[in-house]
Amino acid sequence: MLPVDISTIKRRKSVRTFVNGPLQEDHRQMVDNLVAEKNEAPGPFGTSSRVINLEISDKELDRMKVSTYGMIKSPRGFIVGVCRNDNKELIDIGHNLEDIVLRLTAAGLGTCWLSGTFKRADVLERVDLAEGELFAAVIPYGYPSEKKRFMESLVKSSARSHKRKPVDKLFFRGDFSTPVEEAEGRGLKDLIESVRLAPSSMNKQPWRVVLDQGMVHLYLQRSANYISDRFGFDLHMLDMGIAMRHMEAVCDIHGHDVEWLFDDPGIVMRNDGMEHIASMDIVGLPDD
Ligand SMILES: Cc1cc2nc3c(=O)[nH]c(=O)nc-3n(C[C@H](O)[C@H](O)[C@H](O)COP(=O)(O)O)c2cc1C
């Protein structure tokens, strides 16, 4: 399997139109292996969230287009993320699904996170849920098509998908009153870019990060104009798991062991819409 590197993180973009044709056998096998691997490896909180691979036959393509409100065309399958309505489980499933997204990207496949624009009832016809479980998200996958549809351009422009907040709005040093203007050191630069370029629901980029004494503290910043629980669970928790997977990927690239800590570091938060999610020691990330 191809490794995830910084260029994988930079290259990943949501793909909503796929080439209409089968996957190569080695890619089909890779998807199965990734799903099996994720179901053995819990996320950072060690919960029992799970992923399922739903392959799509040619006969089902039209129906699946309808199931995604026309948003997704010709995917070869969907990875379905299942968990309970619990923030730790949602972070874990966000983390594990994003690991699959990055590894498929590294192999040249396209993906798109869907939490809103898919009909949960249609997935329910093919996947059994246990008591208390929900579909947090589905990830259609396939080979990206060169041709972009009007619908796709419309979604991208309404979510302003190509835009990212500047570094000094997301990253701080010591506390929230000191924005980071520019990161020093290769490790830190990669870490910052990996969070900034991550996908997030409606591209809200709700991550805020404080760098302090060799530690990096990840926070959630809710926005007043965004209802993150409109499907009955907190979509932002998926965004948080995604950022954690990107931070881990950078540590893996630089050979740095990851250990997540969940105790609140006690940094004064700017407002009520913030919460501490997790922290990580980054002493040893290359600073040349
Ligand atoms: C948790 C989550 C849920 C998302 N749900 C949807 C969705 O329902 N429909 C959709 O078209 N895009 C969805 N997206 C994709 C985002 O709009 C996209 O990641 C963001 O605009 C950034 O664009 P990019 O992925 O091309 O970098 C979702 C992304 C995330 C992380």
Side-chain angles (χ1 to χ4, degrees), residues 5-6 11 33 41 48 58 62-63 81 89 106 121 134 139 142 176 179 187 202 221 234 245 252 266 276 284-285:
D5 55 20
I6 293 296
R11 210 169 55 235
N33 291 346
S48 56
D58 287 342
D62 283 346
R63 169 121 197 268
E89 294 220 9
L134 53 82
I139 313 279
F176 285 102
M202 287 302 288
Q221 171 71 75
D234 193 347
R245 182 59 206 127
D252 292 346
H276 172 256
L285 266 192

Side-chain angles (χ1 to χ4, degrees), residues 6 16 65 97 115 126 143 180 218 256 259 276 285:
I6 293 296
R16 296 178 177 84
K65 196 167 165 197
L97 285 172
S115 262
R126 296 196 37 188
Y143 300 119
V180 170
L218 174 67
H256 179 68
E259 188 192 354
H276 172 256
L285 266 192

